Amino acid sequence: DVQLQASGGGWVPAGGSLTLSCAASGFTFDDYAISWFRQAPGKEREGVTCISTSDGKTIYSNSVRGRFTIASDNAKNTVYLQMNSLKPEDTALYYCAAVPIGFCSWYFNYDYWGQGTLVTVSS
């Protein structure tokens, strides 16, 4: 079975940090775009960041650039999202998703989705 397992969410005070993980099984990580999306209550899902596992290029939304860092460990089939200087507006359900395309965009029809991990940032 192909699976993406997102983990690492939790509660953190404003200004704190969290690291999310997205572990893939059932497929190899080569030449994939792996993205993190988030959806806050009452809001639409938005793209947060993406990494190409073929060349390591990344993209970030304006709201997280400079605070969040995405990284891929292809040997472990895992992508990490380091989130620093968290703000209450970062509170959301975070999803990872994968598509077998070697460059990043949040507008692809992603093939695989994780189950989501909740991040709550208190003010």
Side-chain angles (χ1 to χ4, degrees):
D1 281 353
V2 172
Q3 282 190 341
L4 288 178
Q5 182 73 35
S7 61
W11 178 92
V12 63
S17 298
L18 278 176
T19 301
L20 306 184
S21 298
C22 177
S25 60
F27 68 97
T28 56
F29 245 27
D30 297 340
D31 294 327
Y32 270 76
I34 310 292
S35 283
W36 286 96
F37 295 85
R38 68 185 182 186
Q39 188 164 19
K43 295 188 176 181
E44 293 189 355
R45 188 174 64 202
E46 63 172 341
V48 176
T49 181
C50 175
I51 187 167
S52 164
T53 62
S54 60
D55 61 13
K57 290 185 177 179
T58 59
I59 59 173
Y60 294 91
S61 68
N62 289 337
S63 61
V64 307
R65 187 176 293 110
R67 299 187 298 121
F68 290 12
T69 303
I70 189 171
S72 175
D73 186 337
N74 289 5
K76 294 183 178 180
N77 264 22
T78 301
V79 165
Y80 302 96
L81 178 59
Q82 175 68 43
M83 305 186 295
N84 298 327
S85 302
L86 282 161
K87 305 174 181 180
E89 51 264 44
D90 294 317
T91 295
L93 193 59
Y94 284 72
Y95 299 89
C96 58
V99 63
I101 298 175
F103 60 95
C104 278
S105 172
W106 294 309
Y107 301 102
F108 297 142
N109 289 321
Y110 279 76
D111 290 342
Y112 311 123
W113 289 84
Q115 82 287 7
T117 185
L118 182 62
V119 173
T120 304
V121 185
S122 66
S123 57

